Amino acid sequence: CSFAYLAREHNYSKPEFSETDQMLIEQGRHPVIERVIGQHNFVSNDSKLDTDYRRFAILTGPNMGGKSTYLRQVGLIQLLAQAGSFVPAKRAQLSIVDRIFTRIGTSDDLARGDSTFMVEMREVATIVRKATSKSLVLIDEVGRGTATADGFSIATAIAEWLHDTVKCKTIFATHFHELTELTASKEG
């Protein structure tokens, strides 16, 4: 009943599932933020990923530019659809993913003696060990908790591993705009 109520009241659409590894979201919206600021104030956006030609997207932009919101939006749409809900989008054509991995936000765990960088590396280590070609990976600002050159090297290595070895659908938000050159040099 809750899903049906949300779908009717907030203009959600029925997602389509296919056997292809495609993710196509047209005019997607973040279900929580649009409730806070109003649906007419949220600028909807599109997402397109697959595991053949467009499995890895680099997302760049300034602080507070909406990168984390976009990542969360994509993850929530996938999660809602797989849970049986309609989704906040004009259209969503999705494949089933085995897991959704996220590395979003910064925090430390000082009670355990872990810096923000250590928490980040632990989360990334889990992703690179457990993600499969059927996973959706959403990463935000990896490598920021250390020196710039080291952080760039870490971000590059993780991006290349996910793209070349794991071959999962990935959206990788970063301030390292140099990473966009990786997508230009690789197919898929």
Side-chain angles (χ1 to χ4, degrees):
C1 289
S2 179
F3 284 163
Y5 174 81
L6 284 173
R8 187 182 69 233
E9 290 296 311
H10 301 292
N11 196 28
Y12 287 13
S13 65
K14 181 180 178 182
E16 305 165 34
F17 285 99
S18 70
E19 293 296 320
T20 67
D21 280 328
Q22 177 174 286
M23 169 189 283
L24 174 63
I25 300 170
E26 293 178 3
Q27 295 181 23
R29 308 179 317 269
H30 191 293
V32 176
I33 293 178
E34 79 170 357
R35 294 286 308 275
V36 172
I37 67 172
Q39 184 174 342
H40 299 296
N41 294 319
F42 188 88
V43 178
S44 62
N45 45 69
D46 299 341
S47 304
K48 186 174 183 179
L49 292 174
D50 59 50
T51 54
D52 291 328
Y53 302 107
R54 194 178 303 189
R55 69 176 168 266
F56 198 97
I58 299 281
L59 186 61
T60 62
N63 287 335
M64 301 301 292
K67 296 182 301 296
S68 297
T69 298
Y70 180 80
L71 292 173
R72 288 179 172 101
Q73 169 188 312
V74 169
L76 285 168
I77 288 172
Q78 181 73 45
L79 182 64
L80 283 168
Q82 283 193 217
S85 176
F86 281 25
V87 297
K90 180 179 179 182
R91 178 175 174 235
Q93 188 174 26
L94 306 167
S95 61
I96 300 292
V97 298
D98 60 2
R99 294 177 183 165
I100 301 170
F101 291 98
T102 63
R103 167 52 228 143
I104 302 172
T106 59
S107 65
D108 55 37
D109 190 353
L110 295 179
R112 290 178 58 186
D114 291 342
S115 66
T116 300
F117 181 69
M118 182 56 76
V119 170
E120 176 183 299
M121 291 299 99
R122 185 176 292 120
E123 291 173 355
V124 169
T126 298
I127 293 170
V128 299
R129 278 195 325 266
K130 296 188 176 188
T132 73
S133 63
K134 298 289 187 187
S135 299
L136 173 61
V137 175
L138 307 168
I139 293 184
D140 189 16
E141 299 303 342
V142 75
R144 295 263 303 192
T146 188
T148 302
D150 294 339
F152 177 70
S153 295
I154 290 167
T156 300
I158 292 165
E160 288 180 339
W161 177 263
L162 292 171
H163 180 274
D164 297 342
T165 304
V166 179
K167 300 182 179 180
C168 55
K169 291 185 286 251
T170 304
I171 303 176
F172 200 100
T174 184
H175 279 86
F176 297 122
H177 64 275
E178 299 88 354
L179 284 178
T180 60
E181 295 170 14
L182 290 176
T183 58
S185 67
K186 296 177 182 283
E187 290 185 27

